[in-house]
Amino acid sequence: MKILLVGSGGREHALALGLKADKSCTELHAAPGNPGIAEFATLHPVAITDNNAICELAKKLVVDLVVIGPEVPLVNGVADVLRGAGFAVFGPSKAFERRNFPPGQHGVRAGRKKKSEYSVALGEKQKLRFGGECLALGSMLEQVADRLASS
């Protein structure tokens, strides 16, 4: 399978490693890619903001799949352009990317305010960060009152 990966950051590098490791991947191309990805994929100097250039590259390479990593091309609608040209695409449509998902309740604890006072302001279900690391790998905590009361 010939695959085109759109993007150049760390996320795309991780995606490229995974794609290249798959036995079904016969060719991996990245646009624009980065020096790390260049070690195992062919790079193409295409701007991620240029939907038509990305689509033309996919046509030129005759790829079987296009994987889009960054948000910018998704918000710009590149997945829709590629699908419209008949390509299989891993990445949501422009309409989905523009949906407004409300953030969870959050706050910042500054100064010497006690953790228990902060928890009361947020309520029972919350994500808590202590010392810059997220407790319980960022999962939602249900009953934190006892732990906070002892701080």
Side-chain angles (χ1 to χ4, degrees), residues 118-141:
Y118 179 68
S119 72
V120 170
L122 287 177
E124 282 185 37
K125 294 183 180 184
Q126 56 192 293
K127 287 185 182 181
L128 300 174
R129 285 191 184 265
F130 297 101
E133 293 181 16
C134 198
L135 185 63
L137 299 174
S139 49
M140 295 303 283
L141 303 177

Side-chain angles (χ1 to χ4, degrees), residues 107-116 118-119 129-131:
V108 176
R109 186 171 76 92
R112 299 216 172 256
K113 190 174 182 181
K114 289 186 178 180
K115 293 176 195 164
S116 58
Y118 179 68
S119 72
R129 285 191 184 265
F130 297 101

Side-chain angles (χ1 to χ4, degrees):
M1 177 183 331
K2 291 169 91 172
I3 302 171
L4 172 60
L5 173 63
V6 177
S8 62
R11 176 189 319 163
E12 290 75 42
H13 190 127
L15 284 167
L17 285 171
L19 293 167
K20 188 64 177 176
D22 190 299
K23 289 178 175 62
S24 66
C25 179
T26 58
E27 287 182 34
L28 182 60
H29 299 267
N34 64 41
I37 295 172
E39 293 178 13
F40 51 88
T42 305
L43 302 188
H44 302 274
V46 174
I48 64 170
T49 55
D50 190 341
N51 292 355
N52 291 330
I54 293 169
C55 190
E56 287 305 313
L57 178 61
K59 287 177 184 176
K60 177 182 167 190
L61 297 172
V62 192
V63 296
D64 302 300
L65 174 66
V66 181
V67 178
I68 305 162
E71 291 84 6
V72 170
L74 293 169
V75 171
N76 287 343
V78 75
D80 302 316
V81 170
L82 289 162
R83 283 189 185 100
F87 291 102
V89 179
F90 181 82
S93 68
K94 181 177 182 174
F96 183 83
E97 270 298 307
R98 291 204 172 181
R99 289 177 62 182
N100 224 350
F101 293 102
Q105 188 179 17
H106 64 282
V108 176
R109 186 171 76 92
R112 299 216 172 256
K113 190 174 182 181
K114 289 186 178 180
K115 293 176 195 164
S116 58
E117 293 170 10
Y118 179 68
S119 72
V120 170
L122 287 177
E124 282 185 37
K125 294 183 180 184
Q126 56 192 293
K127 287 185 182 181
L128 300 174
R129 285 191 184 265
F130 297 101
E133 293 181 16
C134 198
L135 185 63
L137 299 174
S139 49
M140 295 303 283
L141 303 177
E142 300 258 347
Q143 301 294 323
V144 295
D146 293 337
R147 185 175 191 125
L148 291 173
S150 66
S151 61

